[in-house]
Amino acid sequence: MSKITTDMIRNIALIGHSGEGKTSLAEAMLFAAKSIDRQGKVEDGNTTMDFDAEEINRKISISLSVAYANWNGNKINILDCPGFFDFEGEVVSALSVADSAVIVTSASGSLSVGTEKMLEMCTERKVPAMVFINQMNKDNADFRGTYNAIEQAFGSKVIPVELPIIEGGKMTGWVDVISGKAYKCGNPATEIAVPADLESETQELKNKIIELAAETDDALIEKYFEGEPLTDEELEKGIRQAILNDSLMPLMAGNATTSVGVANIMDKICKYMPSPARDVKKTVDGQDIACDASKSFSAQVFKAVADPYVGKLLYFKVYSGVLKSGDQMLNTVSEKPEKASSLYFLKGKKQEAADELVAGDIGALAKLVSTNIGDTLCAPDAKIRFAPIDFPEPVISLAVTSAKSGEEDKVINGLTRMLEEDSTFKLEKNAVTGDVLMSGLGESQLQIICARLKNKFGVEAKLSDPKIAYRETIRKAAEAEGKHKKQSGGAGQFGVVNIKFEPGAADGEFEFVDAIVGGAVPKQFIPAVEKGLREAIKNGVLAGYPMVNLKATLFDGKYHPVDSKEIAFITAARLSYTEACMNANPCFLEPIMDVKITIPDSYLGDIMGDITKRRGRIIGTDTVGKKMVLTAEAPMAEMFRYATDLNSMTQGRGRFKMSFNRYEEVPANLTPKIIEDAKKRAAEQAK
């Protein structure tokens, strides 16, 4: 193949519901282009794109993978995305660099949730897209029902550019709507007469496409209204523009595993879907960077793969200029120089050494020291910085520990390495509870990360519900005398304090008031009293959670001219704190979260009822587009696995965001359980 130029490249993301054939389509495309010498199967665990051990075991895609195919003088970079909702971050990565998408759906006769979500995502992100109805060889395959369901949900912009010919329940050929010709499946395909039952529909669909194409240009629409036919070149140009304008979404059908319709979709990708030559990428300071090989080099990293032996492999897209092997680069996020010493084209897990990548192309770099996902790489003398990729925020957090005693550091080190691969996965230690929290988009994502940790680094992690960061406080005032007296020969220890404790600290945490008169407690020991109290409130009197909103007034005390020491007043203050607070009607406070849930309106009643069962409060509802947005408050203790539950209640159509609002008193009936759980944990830690 001749040297690649920007206008010859097609960056296409394969997206859709899990299990509907994206990886099989990628495999078939690579095989059709002779990019691979045999066509693997997901069931056999030997596809180019699913190469991770967990992907092979589970027979689903977990990570975004990339490969390329040369077809009809073009280079198609195929980005195969997971369909499982927990791995939406991989789809976001792909769509950040893809110039178009193919939404793969099965011929089930209905609109799958994943198809619906991907259609919405392409519309929101203005990603030109086409639809491929796959699995047309299955029993009860229903092209009509699937097409009608998509059209009903997303309007008349979804139009077949090919109609399948069905005989005996199987797809045996197709009609090309634009050319008006029909073909029988085969290698090569043979032209046949258009079936009589498809003639009128073919013409009707062609007329719709011609009208949409004409509407993209004033001269074309004038020609159309005057009854003049559009030339092939005008029609092709108009179709490309209609796809860009989101007024046309071409639809095709086939069967990836038997390669039916695969060559056709590759033809249409090259003919109608945009090249990166139209790209204009904005920098953080508002510059427009055209995708032009003659300009200075710039690129953005969109994925990383951590390997315990090879190191970190970074996937990137060149947005301008040309990157050659050995070139010096600047990372404008870390402000560190980097060198393109190992430059590759990607084919699944295989890397092919590359001499250069032109604007619009996708490749990989190894041996970079200071570069991560979302970072900008550019020519050292032409500094620019692109905005980071906008990944979805984590919605579930679980506590992670080592399955084996003594391997805690290995688990944390391994997970820290894996943070480099997934920008939707977070790891942090809760300062109050001591839990190390893994956060992500779903429970399955976190479980698979732990499985990959074992596969890659040989250490096993265990997940559990995290401890709640409860607080303790008091509800009324109480006084107590704290007395510390110790005499064991020689100098003794003596200190007495009388302190009043009440709710209402000025800062909401702790307030100390010195109300001593007459020197009952000498001034040099008053700081020791405050110090003792500040240490004491780290552990509440009910279950050891931090005490908050406590005002302490030191109003009396006693001292000994010889035996009084700082330590004696520290200890006396603690004793006073414990006794008084136990008599001051102590209680627990729990974190209350703001929750914003986006759902189709048909689920509104069920979701409102569920939030109420979780001790939540409905604040209000609003309509945004076709969705309902429910605003509520709910205790964190009731929301740990809400991501999983919401997916179950809405068949994956719901999403939510949650953030901390305030602390609120825990209902009295839950207090014994919190105390009991705290005692159990203390007993386990003491073993």
Side-chain angles (χ1 to χ4, degrees):
M1 187 173 178
S2 59
K3 187 174 180 179
I4 294 293
T5 58
T6 300
D7 61 341
M8 297 162 64
I9 297 168
R10 300 292 183 274
N11 297 314
I12 192 98
L14 303 184
I15 57 178
H17 200 85
S18 183
E20 300 203 332
K22 297 178 297 299
T23 299
S24 297
L25 178 58
E27 192 77 4
M29 291 169 71
L30 293 170
F31 184 67
K34 297 182 171 52
S35 192
I36 53 176
D37 54 16
R38 65 178 180 83
Q39 187 170 340
K41 294 182 179 179
V42 172
E43 295 76 17
D44 297 340
N46 60 358
T47 62
T48 304
M49 297 302 213
D50 285 356
F51 51 84
D52 183 271
E54 285 304 306
E55 292 179 314
I56 293 168
N57 290 339
R58 296 169 188 260
K59 295 179 171 42
I60 61 168
S61 297
I62 291 169
S63 298
L64 164 64
S65 53
V66 180
Y68 73 91
N70 295 320
W71 188 258
N72 290 351
N74 295 283
K75 180 184 182 184
I76 305 176
N77 287 316
I78 304 165
L79 296 100
D80 180 30
C81 303
F84 200 66
F85 305 135
D86 285 19
F87 305 103
E88 186 182 330
E90 300 292 292
V91 179
V92 171
S93 282
L95 293 183
S96 74
V97 295
D99 299 292
S100 57
V102 173
I103 300 167
V104 182
T105 186
S106 66
S108 62
S110 61
L111 179 65
S112 66
V113 179
T115 302
E116 181 181 336
K117 291 180 78 167
M118 292 304 103
L119 283 161
E120 288 175 350
M121 187 178 284
C122 287
T123 300
E124 289 168 5
R125 293 172 176 266
K126 295 181 171 55
V127 177
M130 58 197 309
V131 179
F132 183 70
I133 298 179
N134 190 29
Q135 300 174 357
M136 288 292 295
N137 66 329
K138 282 194 170 183
D139 292 338
N140 303 315
D142 186 355
F143 170 82
R144 293 287 167 188
T146 308
Y147 163 47
N148 290 339
I150 294 171
E151 185 185 38
Q152 186 175 355
F154 289 90
S156 58
K157 73 176 181 180
V158 183
I159 301 177
V161 292
E162 290 182 359
L163 286 171
I165 299 171
I166 310 296
E167 294 176 353
K170 305 291 183 185
M171 180 175 168
T172 59
W174 71 92
V175 180
D176 187 304
V177 169
I178 295 166
S179 71
K181 295 178 180 180
Y183 300 89
K184 184 178 179 63
C185 292
N187 190 16
T190 53
E191 187 174 343
I192 58 174
V194 176
D197 61 338
L198 295 179
E199 283 181 349
S200 62
E201 185 180 10
T202 298
Q203 190 58 52
E204 184 183 333
L205 291 171
K206 182 174 182 177
N207 290 339
K208 285 183 180 178
I209 292 170
I210 290 172
E211 185 175 348
L212 288 173
E215 287 174 351
T216 63
D217 184 271
D218 290 343
L220 293 183
I221 197 68
E222 186 176 335
K223 191 175 181 181
Y224 173 77
F225 282 135
E226 289 175 356
E228 289 185 52
L230 304 187
T231 66
D232 290 346
E233 185 180 340
E234 288 171 337
L235 182 55
E236 184 177 323
K237 181 182 176 184
I239 289 171
R240 284 200 299 267
Q241 191 59 48
I243 292 169
L244 280 174
N245 295 348
D246 194 33
S247 59
L248 172 62
M249 190 177 288
L251 181 141
M252 302 172 70
N255 188 67
T257 55
T258 56
S259 295
V260 172
V262 172
N264 298 9
I265 199 166
M266 294 174 77
D267 289 342
K268 296 294 190 292
I269 287 169
C270 294
K271 192 171 186 178
Y272 295 127
M273 304 312 277
S275 81
R278 74 178 184 92
D279 278 3
V280 176
K281 179 82 169 173
K282 277 201 177 295
T283 64
V284 290
D285 59 2
Q287 282 187 70
D288 287 337
I289 305 299
C291 193
D292 184 342
S294 68
K295 305 296 183 183
S296 296
F297 163 72
S298 68
Q300 186 169 36
V301 174
F302 65 92
K303 181 173 173 60
V305 177
D307 188 285
Y309 306 106
V310 177
K312 188 164 61 174
L313 191 67
L314 298 167
Y315 298 9
F316 69 101
K317 179 180 179 180
V318 180
Y319 281 103
S320 63
V322 178
L323 180 65
K324 295 182 178 181
S325 182
D327 279 357
Q328 295 293 330
M329 306 175 292
L330 175 67
N331 181 325
T332 53
V333 176
S334 66
E335 294 289 342
K336 298 288 179 63
E338 297 277 24
K339 184 178 180 181
S341 55
S342 300
L343 186 60
Y344 302 109
F345 294 125
L346 291 161
K347 203 172 284 181
K349 70 177 177 180
K350 295 179 181 177
Q351 300 102 42
E352 298 178 357
D355 293 327
E356 67 175 36
L357 266 76
V358 300
D361 211 349
I362 287 172
L365 285 159
K367 301 179 182 178
L368 269 58
V369 179
S370 307
T371 302
N372 296 301
I373 295 174
D375 287 2
T376 300
L377 297 167
C378 64
D381 59 350
K383 289 177 67 173
I384 61 169
R385 182 173 174 180
F386 300 124
I389 300 169
D390 186 18
F391 289 103
E393 288 297 316
V395 295
I396 185 171
S397 297
L398 296 176
V400 60
T401 54
S402 170
K404 294 181 182 177
S405 179
E407 291 193 347
E408 289 78 12
D409 287 346
K410 289 182 180 179
V411 166
I412 300 305
N413 290 338
L415 290 174
T416 302
R417 288 284 305 278
M418 296 183 74
L419 284 171
E420 299 173 347
E421 295 188 352
D422 189 346
S423 293
T424 65
F425 162 49
K426 309 292 183 190
L427 192 68
E428 63 180 352
K429 185 168 185 175
N430 186 297
V432 176
T433 65
D435 281 339
V436 176
L437 299 177
M438 279 179 66
S439 303
L441 299 182
E443 206 167 333
S444 294
Q445 178 196 16
L446 301 184
Q447 290 168 348
I448 287 172
I449 287 171
C450 289
R452 295 175 83 175
L453 177 73
K454 187 176 181 181
N455 293 337
K456 282 192 172 190
F457 300 101
V459 289
E460 193 170 350
K462 183 172 65 175
L463 295 173
S464 61
D465 282 347
K467 296 188 284 290
I468 301 290
Y470 290 111
R471 300 285 193 269
E472 296 184 26
T473 193
I474 58 175
R475 287 176 286 196
K476 68 177 187 179
E479 298 177 2
E481 180 181 83
K483 183 176 182 179
H484 177 68
K485 184 178 180 181
K486 184 177 180 183
Q487 195 72 46
S488 56
Q493 295 180 10
F494 181 85
V496 178
V497 293
N498 294 84
I499 305 175
K500 177 184 178 182
F501 296 88
E502 58 191 318
D507 62 359
E509 296 292 329
F510 176 71
E511 180 182 357
F512 177 73
V513 178
D514 172 13
I516 291 293
V517 292
V521 176
K523 285 187 177 181
Q524 67 266 33
F525 295 127
I526 289 175
V529 177
E530 182 176 358
K531 180 181 178 183
L533 293 176
R534 288 192 178 276
E535 290 177 359
I537 63 171
K538 293 176 183 177
N539 296 285
V541 296
L542 291 173
Y545 290 102
M547 181 72 72
V548 296
N549 199 29
L550 186 68
K551 181 179 180 180
T553 303
L554 174 64
F555 64 89
D556 202 1
K558 296 176 183 175
Y559 75 101
H560 187 279
V562 176
D563 293 345
S564 285
K565 297 180 178 63
E566 183 179 293
I567 186 62
F569 282 96
I570 289 174
T571 306
R574 289 174 177 167
L575 294 170
S576 174
Y577 160 79
T578 302
E579 181 182 340
C581 289
M582 285 301 295
N583 295 323
N585 202 4
C587 65
F588 290 110
L589 301 175
E590 64 181 338
I592 302 297
M593 312 302 288
D594 285 328
V595 188
K596 188 170 282 190
I597 310 163
T598 304
I599 46 171
D601 59 3
S602 58
Y603 296 103
L604 184 61
D606 290 343
I607 299 303
M608 290 176 75
D610 180 72
I611 287 292
T612 302
K613 288 177 186 174
R614 296 172 187 268
R615 299 191 284 121
R617 288 184 288 272
I618 307 299
I619 305 300
T621 59
D622 196 10
T623 303
V624 178
K626 296 179 180 179
K627 300 292 179 72
M628 295 296 296
V629 178
L630 175 68
T631 305
E633 294 177 347
M636 179 188 277
E638 306 289 343
M639 300 295 287
F640 277 138
R641 296 178 189 260
Y642 190 65
T644 305
D645 296 340
L646 182 64
N647 269 342
S648 177
M649 288 185 286
T650 64
Q651 287 75 55
R653 290 182 170 88
R655 57 177 62 222
F656 78 106
K657 291 182 178 180
M658 189 164 67
S659 58
F660 173 75
N661 181 305
R662 65 185 183 282
Y663 272 89
E664 197 172 272
E665 189 175 324
V666 174
N669 64 304
L670 299 179
T671 295
K673 176 80 166 53
I674 297 172
I675 294 173
E676 181 186 346
D677 290 345
K679 286 179 179 177
K680 282 182 182 177
R681 284 196 301 271
E684 288 172 4
Q685 290 171 359
K687 288 180 182 178

